[in-house]
Amino acid sequence: MIEVFNVFNKKTALRKLIAGVACISLALPLTAVNASDDSWPQGPVSFVMHTQAGGSADVFIRTLAESLEPQIGQPIVVINSPGGAGATQMSRLKSANPDGLTLGINTLSHFTGMLTNLNGVFALDDFSWIASTQEDVHIVFANQTSEIDSIDTLINKAKEGSGQVSVGGFGPQGSTQNIAMSMLENATNVEFEWIAYNGTPDIVAAVMGGHVDVGVSNLSALKTFFDAERIQGLGVVADERLASLPNVPTFSEQGVDVDASWIQVRGVFGPEGIPVATQHQIADAFHKAMQTEHYQTYARNAGISDSWMGPEEYTEFASRISEVARAELGR
């Protein structure tokens, strides 16, 4: 891993920030106050995604669309546009008409990316940060038949002189998943070889095909592979075990002390200049659709926590977490 990640420690400001935002999110009402009585602009709503079909964010929007489409009375079109660790998606969004009909799902990697591989290409002010939707923990996993069956065996293999242990995850060094593995490196004094992919399906395929030793992703995209017993969980970055994966221990249970608050956060964003009233309508529609039984069943089965920030809160969150990430990355 690159040297800048060695500044990460268990008492970071980022830990305090995400914990604080979680408390704020729980205190917010389930829908924001409408800034206008006008309806969402009419026409198909395109969601440009930064991952392939089957990625965690892709599964989220396709599942939510089943509740969101009848609510807004217009079709939702999902456009998968992977590439450049989000750069392809962000380019399309940046140049889109700010009418609320072209949107995307973002993750924390969008914020860290603008400080690393996309620095100088995109900035926070290029986009409208509309709403938060999900918090999703990181899971390290291996092929069901792999001899690496725990964090302990993973660390021991990395300490052996027989070669480097490879880890597949989304995005380049500096992505959310990469930082999660960097935390493990720093806590155990080992080094992994990071292999970047464009989405969870590619990560799982690499793990299943023996192209990487282990993978890291989120449960929302891995659940079907766990259910089919094609992969095994080595450890979860969380304070407690997941109800849907009770046999997978946390890092701390295995004697590894990392910041369990380093979670994936997903939200809705769009091009700069979307009217504030329209942003509120979009946030309201999302948060209302997230309350449906259909969506809640998916979210609970996937071990996802809901997040309810509206435009003002999410814009502030984007600014604050970018500053904290800048400090952590030494930028």
Side-chain angles (χ1 to χ4, degrees), residues 69-233:
E69 278 187 329
Q71 180 183 312
I72 65 176
Q74 46 205 42
I76 293 174
V77 180
V78 178
I79 302 170
N80 294 99
S81 189
T88 304
Q89 174 214 35
M90 295 168 78
S91 293
R92 296 181 68 160
L93 287 180
K94 182 178 178 180
S95 61
N97 188 352
D99 57 7
L101 295 178
T102 304
L103 303 169
I105 302 300
N106 77 280
T107 67
L108 287 191
S109 291
H110 286 70
F111 302 129
T112 59
M114 285 186 279
L115 300 174
T116 53
N117 61 301
L118 300 179
N119 185 30
V121 181
F122 302 106
L124 287 178
D125 291 343
D126 292 332
F127 305 98
S128 299
W129 305 99
I130 300 170
S132 67
T133 57
Q134 291 185 334
E135 298 174 0
D136 201 358
V137 300
H138 299 290
I139 300 174
V140 180
F141 65 97
N143 192 314
Q144 184 68 33
T145 60
S146 173
E147 62 181 15
I148 302 177
D149 58 3
S150 67
I151 294 298
D152 189 51
T153 56
L154 173 64
I155 298 306
N156 288 338
K157 184 173 178 61
K159 288 182 176 179
E160 292 174 358
S162 57
Q164 190 95 355
V165 172
S166 56
V167 179
F170 176 80
Q173 291 183 339
S175 70
T176 310
Q177 293 175 4
N178 173 260
I179 290 178
M181 296 307 298
S182 179
M183 292 164 57
L184 177 58
E185 287 181 314
N186 295 336
T188 58
N189 196 30
V190 299
E191 185 174 347
F192 303 123
E193 179 186 8
W194 179 255
I195 308 297
Y197 292 96
N198 282 326
T200 301
D202 281 351
I203 300 170
V204 173
V207 171
M208 296 297 298
H211 305 297
V212 295
D213 293 299
V214 301
V216 57
S217 189
N218 309 109
L219 181 58
S220 53
L222 294 175
K223 187 64 164 58
T224 56
F225 298 100
F226 277 113
D227 290 343
E229 297 184 348
R230 300 183 65 187
I231 59 176
Q232 57 178 318

Side-chain angles (χ1 to χ4, degrees), residues 27-91:
L28 290 173
L30 294 185
T31 56
V33 177
N34 280 323
S36 170
D37 291 331
D38 295 337
S39 61
W40 195 335
Q42 295 300 298
V45 181
S46 296
F47 274 91
V48 184
M49 305 304 298
H50 62 291
T51 66
Q52 298 174 321
S56 300
D58 180 79
V59 171
F60 158 65
I61 190 57
R62 291 181 187 275
T63 303
L64 188 69
E66 297 176 30
S67 299
L68 187 59
E69 278 187 329
Q71 180 183 312
I72 65 176
Q74 46 205 42
I76 293 174
V77 180
V78 178
I79 302 170
N80 294 99
S81 189
T88 304
Q89 174 214 35
M90 295 168 78
S91 293

